[in-house]
Structure formats: C-alpha cells, structure tokens
Amino acid sequence: MSDSSSTEALLAILRRDLAGLAPGERLSSSRELIARHGVGPVTVSRAIAQLAAEGAVVTRPGSGTYAAPRQARAGAAAEDTSWQAIALSGHDRGPGATDPDAAPGEFGPSAPVPAGTIALSGGYLHENLQPTRALGAALARAARRPDAWHRAPAAGLAPLRAIFARQAGGAVAPEDVLVTGGGQGALSMLFRAIVAPGSPLLVESPTYPGALAAARAAGLRPVPVPTDDEGVRTDLLAEAFAMTGARLFYCQPTFHNPTGAVLAPERRRQVVDVARAAGAFLIEDDFARHLGHGRPVPRPLVADDRDGTVIHLTSLTKPASPSLRIGALIARGPVMRRLLEARRVDDFFIARPLQEAAVELLSTPAWDRHLRSLATALRERRAVLVDALSHEVPDWTPGLPQPSAGQTPAGGLHLWLRLPPALVDTAVTAAARDHGVAVDAGRHYFPAEPPTDRLRLNLAAAADLAELAEAARRLAVTARSLAGS
C-alpha cells in the first residue's frame, strides 16, 4: 500500500473514532495507532496533521491529540462570537463615539465607491498628485543600504529626527523629536500617555474626527471650544480650561481640518499663553504644513515655545502618500520620556526601511519640486471647484466657520460648505452618491451638538480639473432632486 493510500485509510478510521469522542477527549497515542493499524509513524504524523488543518483535532506537544470543540469542526459558518459582547462590556465606547463604518473616508473604512463615482471625500491626495516616482526611487535607495534591516532606535533614525527638527525651526533640536508611524497612531499615543481616562480634552469645534475617535478610545471626554474665521476663540478657550480643569487641548492652527482656517497671528501667542496659564499641554496638529497653496505658511507654534507647553505633531502621509506612515512628535521635558516609554510598550520602534526611505525622499531636490508642483495643483483645483460650485449651486456657500466670512482656504485639501436651510448634510451625501459623487457630511466633525447644514469636499481626491467641474454639475443635479422630493 502506498503512503498516500495508507494515510487516507487511517484518516477514514480516525474520523469515525472522532465522531464518538466528546470535545476535549484524548485520541489514541501515535504509538497505539501504529500498533493497532499496522502503519508507520510517517503515516500517523500525516493523518494527524491533516485533521489538525481541518480543525478536527487540537495537538498539544508533550500531552497528546484531542478532539476539537464542535464549533471548530463545523467550520467558519458555525462560528459564534456572541461571547465578545460580555468581554467588551466593561469598555464602553461612550456616548457619541465615532462609528468607523459611518466616519469620513479619511478615518476608518468608508462605504465602497461605485465605479464612475467622482471622489470629493476622504483626506488624501489622488494618486496622480502623489510623488510616486520619487517615492519608488527613495525606497529603492533605502533598501540598498547595508543596515536597512537593522533595528532602529526607539526615538527614530538620527538623520530623520534632524530633518523634522529643522522643518519645525526655532530652538527645536533632534533630541526633541520622536519619529512615529503617521499622525493617527501618534494621536492615540499622546491621548493615552498624557492624561488619565475620564479626563476632559479640549478640542476645536469643528475638528478632525480621527482625533475624536482616538480620544474616546483612550477614555477621554472631548469638550468643544468654538472657532471662527480666525481659528479657535481664545477667550472661550480660557473659559473652557477654567470650567473643566482640562490639562490638554488639541488644535490645528494651520489649514484646519475641516474649515481650512489659519489661526490669526495675535491668537497664536495667546493660545499658548492660555494653555501655559492653565498648566496644560497644547497638541499642535501640523498635518497640513506642506499643503499650502503658494502663500507663506506661519511658523509652527512649537518654534516659539520655550516651556514645553506645545507638543507638535506632523506627518508625511498627507503631502506624499497614505502608505508613507511616517510622522514626528516634538516635545520637551518629562513628557518626552513618557512618550518614549509608551513607544517601548506599543511597538518598540518604527520600521527602519520606511524611515530610511523618508530620509532619502526628504533629502533630495525631488521633494522640493513635488511640494512646489503640489501647491500649484491645489491652488488650481481650489479655483476651479469654487468657480464651478458658484455657478452650479450658488446657494452652497464655501467659507470658514462664520456665516459672513465667505472666504476660501489658502491651504489644505478641503472646502467647507454651508448648505441652504432646506437641505440636511446626511441626505445630501446619500443623494450625491446616488448621482455619482462622494462627499463628507459635516456632522462628523463636531464633538457635540453638530449642525446639519455643513459638507466637506476634498479638492485633491478627484483625478483632474474636469472631474471637479463635473462633480459640481452632479451636485447641482443632487440639489434639484432633493428639492423636488
């Protein structure tokens, strides 16, 4: 008898035996099977391996082979994960927690976009705006380095830390920099490392929904601070600190997401002073530093901070590619030591090849050329989209938080729209998808009491200028369909 036929014959016998065993009951030992059925040890080993692969048995080295639970033998269709409801019941996501399935495309999975749909949603560049060739060349050069696969330092590669320090300016030193795996992971680390669960977190209203989700996952309680066309209202920020006793404020001073606002010059100093007076940290999310539309970009708040009040966060994913998961935190004093401790618990270090590729990319003239061409492209796209919307849906007002502002952003990836009173954001987003264009409902960006008359459009997600104009036309069709319903 051949080895394969012997194995099949033994499998048939063992399956009959297993049918009479209770889950967890021990199968005959290999020695017993060899003696009883007159087969060799290789045949027994192959048969047991096949049964284990099918989920019919569980092998425990040094102990034996046991009948698997009935669910495992029944296959995936019989899986029952209802027990997890009890296991997770002690960690409630909390009221208002962001539902990842309903969140905008830049945070969590969004619904599949049907073929032919024009994307004005999400938070990333279209592929044809990404520096694909420069990224490929940088990764290839990085891979050829002899130490490319060595373990990286916990704080990040020294050359990359130096680059991020130089970009921040002021007195920031490489020792103040911690390389991170993009911005979202850095936010999660910050919220868990700095304040205890149950603490209040002050946030601009509206704000980035990924920050709200990370805060709630860390057990924090987001408290909204209103904004206007010049950024967060510092008078109300001081009041919020006094009322809540908060020790952390999250903000986006430059090309704020979703509004595109830039914190006014006189408020930039005030916001740091208010946080310092409250004995609190200020997290400066500087995700859009490289997304200006050609105008000068204000210095980061951290560049002029001497007391360690500001914790600066930046990332390469927005100006380069969603898969370049490289960012940096800049912090001074004991808080940096705490962040390093969190790094050693979370993930030890960021993958060295990706860090090496970032060094290669940021050190070449190709990066500067990309940023210049990106600024031009974003400026052109903003102009085309604003013009098309003004013709197709003139009562959809692009602007900053104040109704009277009527401004368009000087940087960033987004337009923030106010809908006319008859329209509701979620109804518009659903109808727009039916008409072939994807946009983001504005309510996702508010930590509390969200208005229902806002939309956010990503001017960088469409393939080209023609798609932007066509998207505006489809939005006009959407508006007419809702008016007639």
Side-chain angles (χ1 to χ4, degrees):
M1 184 180 293
S2 68
D3 288 343
S4 60
S5 59
S6 298
T7 302
E8 290 300 323
L10 182 59
L11 276 169
I13 293 169
L14 294 178
R15 288 189 178 110
R16 287 196 299 269
D17 292 346
L18 284 167
L21 296 179
E25 197 170 346
R26 191 176 183 276
L27 200 65
S28 299
S29 69
S30 296
R31 183 177 299 176
E32 291 169 338
L33 293 174
I34 292 169
R36 185 184 310 155
H37 301 293
V39 294
V42 173
T43 299
V44 173
S45 178
R46 288 175 177 171
I48 296 297
Q50 177 63 35
L51 292 172
E54 295 171 0
V57 299
V58 176
T59 60
R60 300 172 186 165
S63 176
T65 302
Y66 298 83
R70 300 294 182 191
Q71 284 180 227
R73 285 193 252 171
E79 290 180 357
D80 180 8
T81 58
S82 57
W83 64 272
Q84 294 185 3
I86 299 173
L88 295 172
S89 62
H91 188 61
D92 189 358
R93 293 169 65 211
T98 301
D99 181 356
D101 293 324
E106 69 177 310
F107 175 71
S110 55
V113 177
T117 298
I118 298 174
L120 297 185
S121 60
Y124 297 113
L125 301 175
H126 189 275
E127 288 85 347
N128 61 25
L129 291 177
Q130 298 172 18
T132 308
R133 183 175 298 179
L135 282 166
L139 192 60
R141 290 193 301 271
R144 290 196 295 269
R145 294 188 175 190
D147 55 353
W149 292 97
H150 290 184
R151 175 171 177 154
L157 297 183
L160 188 54
R161 297 170 73 194
I163 291 172
F164 280 123
R166 188 164 58 250
Q167 289 180 354
V172 174
E175 294 73 26
D176 302 325
V177 178
L178 173 65
V179 176
T180 68
Q184 188 65 30
L187 276 177
S188 179
M189 178 194 297
L190 282 170
F191 293 152
R192 287 182 289 109
I194 296 178
V195 289
S199 301
L201 167 71
L202 303 187
V203 298
E204 298 160 312
S205 183
T207 191
Y208 167 51
L212 296 177
R216 288 168 176 143
L220 305 187
R221 177 168 51 88
V223 176
V225 182
T227 59
D228 58 23
D229 53 301
E230 294 187 334
V232 68
R233 296 228 351 231
T234 50
D235 57 334
L236 297 179
L237 177 64
E239 185 176 338
F241 273 123
M243 290 179 61
T244 64
R247 291 295 177 264
L248 194 59
F249 171 48
Y250 168 80
C251 65
Q252 305 165 90
T254 304
F255 309 136
H256 172 269
N257 175 16
T259 68
V262 176
L263 191 60
E266 63 275 12
R267 293 189 188 180
R268 299 182 82 81
R269 185 69 256 168
Q270 292 172 2
V271 75
V272 179
D273 290 343
V274 168
R276 183 186 299 115
F281 290 102
L282 183 157
I283 297 176
E284 176 188 24
D285 190 344
D286 202 28
F287 75 98
R289 175 142 303 271
H290 299 303
L291 299 176
H293 296 177
R295 296 181 183 176
V297 179
R299 282 162 60 94
L301 300 182
V302 74
D304 299 311
D305 174 44
R306 295 292 182 270
D307 305 307
T309 299
V310 178
I311 300 174
H312 179 87
L313 168 61
T314 188
S315 172
L316 298 178
T317 58
K318 299 297 186 184
S321 165
S323 287
L324 188 59
R325 306 301 300 175
I326 291 290
L329 288 172
I330 296 174
R332 298 184 179 94
V335 69
M336 174 56 86
R337 292 192 291 274
R338 182 172 292 191
L339 293 173
L340 277 169
E341 291 170 2
R343 154 61 47 76
R344 294 185 177 102
V345 170
D346 284 354
D347 51 14
F348 298 122
F349 57 90
I350 303 302
R352 184 165 189 144
L354 205 55
Q355 291 193 62
E356 298 280 13
V359 172
E360 290 285 350
L361 177 68
L362 299 178
S363 302
T364 63
W367 178 245
D368 290 331
R369 288 196 299 270
H370 164 66
L371 294 181
R372 288 195 297 271
S373 65
L374 179 60
T376 300
L378 293 177
R379 185 170 63 250
E380 291 175 346
R381 284 165 171 260
R382 181 195 65 198
V384 167
L385 184 56
V386 169
D387 182 66
L389 291 170
S390 68
H391 285 88
E392 299 288 354
V393 280
D395 52 350
W396 293 22
T397 310
L400 300 172
Q402 292 290 81
S404 61
Q407 302 175 25
T408 55
L413 303 179
H414 307 112
L415 281 182
W416 187 237
L417 297 181
R418 178 184 290 268
L419 296 170
L423 296 180
V424 175
D425 58 350
T426 50
V428 171
T429 56
R433 189 173 287 263
D434 291 340
H435 288 90
V437 58
V439 297
D440 293 322
R443 68 181 62 196
H444 296 299
Y445 299 85
F446 291 87
E449 290 81 40
T452 60
D453 63 346
R454 304 293 204 284
L455 290 182
R456 195 198 70 168
L457 277 55
N458 181 353
L459 54 88
D464 50 36
L465 300 178
E467 274 202 356
L468 289 172
E470 172 61 17
R473 189 194 68 78
R474 296 183 187 184
L475 289 175
V477 175
T478 298
R480 290 194 293 272
S481 71
L482 290 172
S485 61

